[in-house]
Amino acid sequence: MKIVSNPTRRSVLKGATALGASLFVPAAWTQARAQETKAFQLTPKPATVSLLGPEWPDTDVWAYNGRVTGPELRLQQGQRLRVDVKNGLNQPTTVHWHGLRLPNAMDGVPELTQAPIDPGDSFSYEFDALDAGTFWYHPHVNSSEQVGRGLYGALIVEDKEPPHVDRELTWVIDDWRLTRDAAIADNFGNGMDISHGGRQGNTLTVNGGQMDEVAVRSGERIRLRLINVANARIFRLNFNGHDPQVIAIDGQPVTPHAPTDGRIILGPGMRADVIIDFGGDPGETFNIVDAVSSAQSYVFATIRYSAEPPLRTSPLDASIRLAPNDVATPDLLTAERHQVVIEGGAMGGMRSAIYKGETLSISELAQQQMKVWALNGVAAHTTKMEPMLTLKQGRSHIITIRNDTGWPHPMHMHGYAFQILSRNNKAVPHTPLADTVLLDRNDVTEIALVADNLGDWMFHCHILDHVVGGMSAVIRVA
Ligand code: C2O
Ligand code: CU
C-alpha cells in the first residue's frame, strides 16, 4: 500500500485499494461539542456509526462513549482532570494522553506505567493540566487496531487568555481503510503495512464524518485546532487564497508564522493551531488541498463563503500570540548528547537487529511477526524494554535522531515537550516545542529537553504499524 497518486477526494475513496469502493460522499459532519466539567467518563466499546452519510451503510467501529470522534475533553489550564475509564471492549486497553506532561503513572502505557485495563474493568486517570494547548487521547494497547477502529478524541486545555477570535474549530482528521460495504478492512498489522509506510486508509473523515465544505463568513477570524489521528497518513494542508498563521505546534505556543511552502505538515499524532483571517468575498469558494507533492494532491475540503456581508472590512487588530507554557529551557552548552538511529523496513538495508536479547538477521526478524524496524539496533518485543537511553534527571540533553530508512517517521516521546533544534544541520526556525518530530527518509534532527519528569517514557514512531514492527523504545529519566 502506498499513497495513491493524483487522488481526488473520491479517488482517494476508491483508488487506494483494490476493494473497488466507488463512494459518493455527501457533506455531513458535526463539530465535537465542548463539555463543561473537569471530571469525565470514557467507555471504549463497540459501536455502529455513519462515517459516510445516509447513502452508505453504517460502519462497525470501536469508539469512546459510542461516538467517533470520542468526546472532546475541555478544561482550563491549571485545572485537574479526572477521567474514569471503563473498558467495554473484549480486549485489554489503556488511555494515553498524547502530548501532556504528566506523572508517569498516569501516562497509560501497558506494563510500563500501569497494568492494562481488562475487559469490564475500570481505571481512573487524574492529573493537573500544566500546559494549555491542543492534545488528544487514544489507547496504547494494540494501538494500530484500537486507534484504527475509531478510538481517539481531542483534549483541549484552554489558554488563560485566549487570543480574540470569532470562532474556534477542532478538526480531528483520520483516514480509514474501508471495504465496499463501508466496513473496516480487518487486515491490521499485515506485513506489507508494517514494513512499508503503515496502514494508509482510503476514506477521510473530519470529526468522524464527511467535511466536503467549510462554511465561513467574510471577515471572520477562526482558530483552527488540527489533530492528525490517522495510523499512517501524513497531511500537508494548503489553504489556497488564505494566509494561515501557525500559533502552536503539538499544543505548544510558537512565534506566529506562515507555514513553510504554505503547507501545514501533520504527521500522525501531530497537531497545529492556526489562526486564519477569512478575507475572501461573500459567495467565493477556495479549496483546501492536501498537497502531498507537486505532482500529487487532492481537494481536502472546500471553503465556502456565505452571502452575508463581511463581518469586518480589515482583519482584526488583536494579537494572535499565545502565552508560553512553563516548559524548562535546555542549556545547550552543558547538555549531554545522545543518539538514536532508526533502521530497517522495506528497502532499508538493515542486516540484523537484536530481538529479545539475540541478534537476528533481517529474514529471521521478518519471521518474528515482522519485527523489521530497530532503534539503536534493537527491535522491541514489548512496551517494557530495558531503556535505550538513560537521561540524568535535572540535566539538559540533546538527542540526535537519524533516519537511516527509506520511509518517513513521526517520532514521538511521552511525558515531554522537547525543542526541535535542527534538521539536516540547519537550525529550525522558531525552535518549536513538540512531542513528535517528523523525519523524512535520511533526515537527521536534533531535539533538546530538560529531564525534569521522572520515569520510564515511551519513545516510538507514531505510524502505528511501525510500532507493531518493533519501532519503539524506552527512555529512562532517573
Ligand atoms: Cu500518541 Cu505513544 O502515543
Ligand atoms: Cu515509522
Side-chain angles (χ1 to χ4, degrees):
M1 182 65 52
K2 59 182 175 153
I3 293 182
V4 290
S5 53
N6 293 318
T8 62
R9 167 174 287 273
R10 283 179 191 109
S11 72
V12 168
L13 288 168
K14 67 179 185 231
T17 69
L19 299 166
S22 62
L23 301 174
F24 167 71
V25 182
W29 67 288
T30 47
Q31 190 194 337
R33 197 173 300 148
Q35 315 231 355
E36 299 300 330
T37 63
K38 295 170 278 180
F40 301 92
Q41 303 217 324
L42 286 178
T43 304
K45 59 183 180 191
T48 303
V49 300
S50 171
L51 295 177
L52 301 173
E55 298 182 24
W56 289 94
D58 288 348
T59 303
D60 290 333
V61 298
W62 296 347
Y64 288 114
N65 301 2
R67 33 196 268 233
V68 176
T69 305
E72 180 170 296
L73 311 185
R74 260 191 188 255
L75 71 163
Q76 283 267 316
Q77 184 174 20
Q79 285 184 329
R80 198 167 173 81
L81 177 68
R82 179 189 167 99
V83 185
D84 299 317
V85 177
K86 183 166 169 36
N87 185 2
L89 304 170
N90 64 6
Q91 58 179 252
T93 194
T94 59
V95 181
H96 169 58
W97 313 95
H98 182 120
L100 285 149
R101 300 187 297 137
L102 41 59
N104 190 257
M106 294 291 118
D107 196 41
V109 179
E111 313 303 344
L112 191 66
T113 71
Q114 69 170 98
I117 311 167
D118 281 328
D121 282 1
S122 298
F123 188 89
S124 293
Y125 295 91
E126 194 171 334
F127 52 85
D128 295 328
L130 296 180
D131 295 342
T134 302
F135 304 99
W136 65 295
Y137 58 91
H138 63 80
H140 224 287
V141 177
N142 187 20
S143 306
S144 172
E145 180 168 9
Q146 290 195 9
V147 176
R149 288 190 184 276
L151 289 167
Y152 50 73
L155 198 169
I156 308 296
V157 183
E158 294 175 345
D159 312 274
K160 290 199 169 123
E161 288 172 30
H164 180 103
V165 295
D166 298 305
R167 277 201 288 158
E168 185 178 308
L169 298 172
T170 304
W171 290 357
V172 178
I173 306 168
D174 195 4
D175 74 340
W176 303 71
R177 187 180 291 175
L178 300 182
T179 68
R180 71 182 69 214
D181 304 318
I184 295 173
D186 61 6
N187 54 349
F188 288 96
N190 67 75
M192 185 70 176
D193 288 340
I194 291 174
S195 58
H196 292 68
R199 180 182 172 91
Q200 304 279 341
N202 52 17
T203 304
L204 304 179
T205 59
V206 177
N207 301 339
Q210 298 305 307
M211 186 185 73
D212 284 357
E213 289 197 349
V214 184
V216 302
R217 178 171 178 187
S218 176
E220 71 174 332
R221 173 174 285 182
I222 296 180
R223 176 181 187 167
L224 195 50
R225 298 176 184 266
L226 301 167
I227 308 176
N228 180 1
V229 303
N231 279 42
R233 186 176 290 272
I234 300 165
F235 293 92
R236 298 174 176 84
L237 299 182
N238 188 329
F239 287 71
N240 287 299
H242 293 80
D243 180 27
Q245 293 289 311
V246 178
I247 59 167
I249 291 173
D250 288 356
Q252 299 292 342
V254 65
T255 305
H257 64 276
T260 320
D261 300 338
R263 299 187 303 176
I264 299 161
I265 300 181
L266 290 170
M270 294 165 65
R271 288 89 64 217
D273 285 44
V274 299
I275 285 194
I276 304 178
D277 286 314
F278 285 88
D281 291 331
E284 276 198 287
T285 59
F286 296 86
N287 284 337
I288 305 170
V289 168
D290 184 3
V292 178
S293 70
S294 54
Q296 220 187 337
S297 68
Y298 65 92
V299 176
F300 178 84
T302 299
I303 298 168
R304 180 174 297 279
Y305 281 80
S306 70
E308 293 166 280
L311 193 59
R312 57 179 69 83
T313 46
S314 56
L316 259 183
D317 182 24
S319 171
I320 58 171
R321 189 180 287 266
L322 298 170
N325 290 314
D326 189 12
V327 177
T329 306
D331 176 358
L332 302 180
L333 292 175
T334 63
E336 292 181 8
R337 287 205 165 253
H338 312 267
Q339 197 180 50
V340 174
V341 177
I342 310 168
E343 286 179 287
M347 297 159 282
M350 182 174 80
R351 299 240 171 109
S352 64
I354 295 169
Y355 182 70
K356 293 185 178 170
E358 272 182 76
T359 301
L360 300 185
S361 72
I362 185 77
S363 58
E364 289 168 325
L365 291 164
Q367 285 157 26
Q368 301 287 337
Q369 292 119 37
M370 292 301 281
K371 302 295 179 196
V372 295
W373 299 99
L375 296 175
N376 285 357
V378 178
H381 64 279
T382 173
T383 48
K384 197 177 168 66
M385 302 282 293
E386 281 301 305
M388 169 180 70
L389 303 177
T390 300
L391 309 183
K392 266 188 225 115
Q393 188 200 358
R395 297 278 317 247
S396 293
H397 301 269
I398 298 174
I399 305 172
T400 303
I401 308 171
R402 206 174 82 212
N403 180 5
D404 282 358
T405 79
W407 303 89
H409 304 287
M411 301 306 296
H412 171 49
M413 180 167 175
H414 287 207
Y416 282 84
F418 51 75
Q419 279 186 350
I420 304 177
L421 299 177
S422 73
R423 191 184 296 277
N424 301 327
N425 300 314
K426 271 198 238 128
V428 170
H430 317 297
T431 334
L433 288 167
D435 55 63
T436 305
V437 58
L438 180 62
L439 284 91
D440 278 329
R441 53 184 176 184
N442 300 318
D443 272 4
V444 183
T445 188
E446 287 173 307
I447 65 172
L449 56 81
V450 177
D452 55 6
N453 198 2
L454 277 176
D456 280 2
W457 301 100
M458 289 295 285
F459 177 87
H460 64 88
C461 181
H462 223 286
I463 292 178
L464 298 173
D465 280 325
H466 289 178
V467 178
V468 181
M471 203 188 299
S472 78
V474 169
I475 295 183
R476 175 169 293 168
V477 174

